[in-house]
């Protein structure tokens, strides 16, 4: 019969082995990319300031075009540059401009008292560089449900023509994530 101290020692050893096999908690939360191409969730919408003037509402695209969102903060804006260029070429080469619209979304919920004109002047070169509209999330709308985009990360999402998120990823778009992205995009275009 096992004694209480022997059982306790065995359990402690199992927990140490299990804990040693996992990466540290902080790196799992921040470094591990998270992709999902699952069952679509609720219909989403947001209305944000546009770098091209006025305000844009995602619901304006509903029923017309699939929306690709790149939600990023300043330190991560260049993390997926190659993928963004690849996507823009894909849309252009396949004549999908009437069926797919990409938007950059600047995570500005933490800019504080910085004048909006200064922030806009810092973002304008990115609009010129990519040729797509960048929406300005001053209030952190996209960080809250149902979007729930991660802060301190480069987020990529696909919103289908019904207005549902059908793909999301946080982090660098490696080859595996790119394949998942294009599979989800093809599905959303059907």
């Amino acid at each position: 019969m096992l004694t209480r101290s022997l059982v306790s020692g065995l359990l402690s050893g199992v927990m140490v082995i299990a804990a040693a096999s996992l990466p540290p908690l902080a790196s799992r939360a921040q470094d591990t990319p998270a992709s999902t191409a699952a069952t679509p969730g609720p219909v989403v919408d947001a209305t944000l300031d546009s770098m091209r003037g006025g305000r844009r509402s995602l619901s304006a695209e509903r029923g017309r075009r699939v929306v690709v969102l790149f939600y990023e903060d300043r330190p991560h804006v260049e993390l997926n540059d190659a993928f963004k260029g690849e996507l823009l070429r894909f849309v252009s080469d396949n004549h999908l401009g009437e069926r797919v619209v990409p938007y950059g979304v600047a995570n500005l919920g933490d800019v504080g008292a910085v004048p909006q004109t200064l922030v806009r002047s810092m973002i304008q070169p990115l609009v010129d560089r990519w040729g797509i509209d960048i929406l300005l999330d001053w209030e952190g709308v996209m960080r809250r449900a149902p979007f729930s985009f991660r802060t301190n990360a480069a987020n990529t999402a696909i919103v289908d023509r019904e207005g549902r998120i059908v793909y999301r990823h946080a982090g660098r778009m490696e080859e595996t994530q790119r394949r998942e992205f294009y599979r989800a995009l093809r599905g959303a275009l059907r």
Side-chain angles (χ1 to χ4, degrees):
M1 187 164 202
L2 294 173
T3 66
R4 185 177 299 180
S5 63
L6 182 57
V7 170
S8 177
L10 287 172
L11 288 175
S12 295
V14 169
M15 288 189 289
V16 167
I17 291 169
S21 68
L22 296 171
L25 185 58
S27 68
R28 279 187 291 168
Q30 295 172 357
D31 300 335
T32 304
S35 296
T36 59
T39 305
V43 172
V44 298
D45 193 21
T47 301
L48 303 169
D49 290 345
S50 163
M51 282 296 294
R52 292 194 171 153
R55 293 178 58 80
R56 296 269 186 275
S57 198
L58 296 182
S59 62
E61 299 297 343
R62 199 164 302 142
R64 296 177 353 131
R65 297 193 284 187
V66 172
V67 176
V68 177
L69 298 172
F70 294 101
Y71 183 76
E72 302 163 330
D73 56 1
R74 187 164 168 52
H76 296 90
V77 78
E78 293 183 8
L79 184 65
N80 287 317
D81 269 3
F83 173 68
K84 292 174 197 172
E86 173 187 304
L87 175 64
L88 293 176
R89 283 188 302 279
F90 177 82
V91 169
S92 175
D93 292 351
N94 291 286
H95 311 287
L96 294 173
E98 295 299 316
R99 298 179 66 202
V100 177
V101 59
Y103 287 115
V105 183
N107 175 2
L108 303 171
D110 298 325
V111 297
V114 178
Q116 288 189 7
T117 54
L118 178 61
V119 172
R120 286 175 178 274
S121 71
M122 295 170 65
I123 294 173
Q124 187 59 49
L126 296 171
V127 174
D128 299 338
R129 177 178 174 186
W130 291 110
I132 67 170
D133 197 3
I134 296 180
L135 307 179
L136 308 173
D137 187 4
W138 299 105
E139 298 166 2
V141 171
M142 298 291 211
R143 291 190 269 180
R144 296 188 294 267
F147 292 97
S148 303
F149 288 138
R150 288 173 45 183
T151 57
N152 299 318
N155 296 270
T156 306
I158 299 173
V159 179
D160 69 11
R161 287 182 291 210
E162 294 176 2
R164 300 177 192 281
I165 297 176
V166 295
Y167 175 87
R168 68 171 60 237
H169 174 76
R172 184 180 302 278
M173 293 289 285
E174 302 291 355
E175 187 60 34
T176 300
Q177 289 81 29
R178 289 177 184 198
R179 282 194 303 271
E180 291 171 357
F181 173 89
Y182 285 111
R183 190 174 316 128
L185 182 60
R186 282 190 299 274
L189 286 169
R190 290 189 186 127

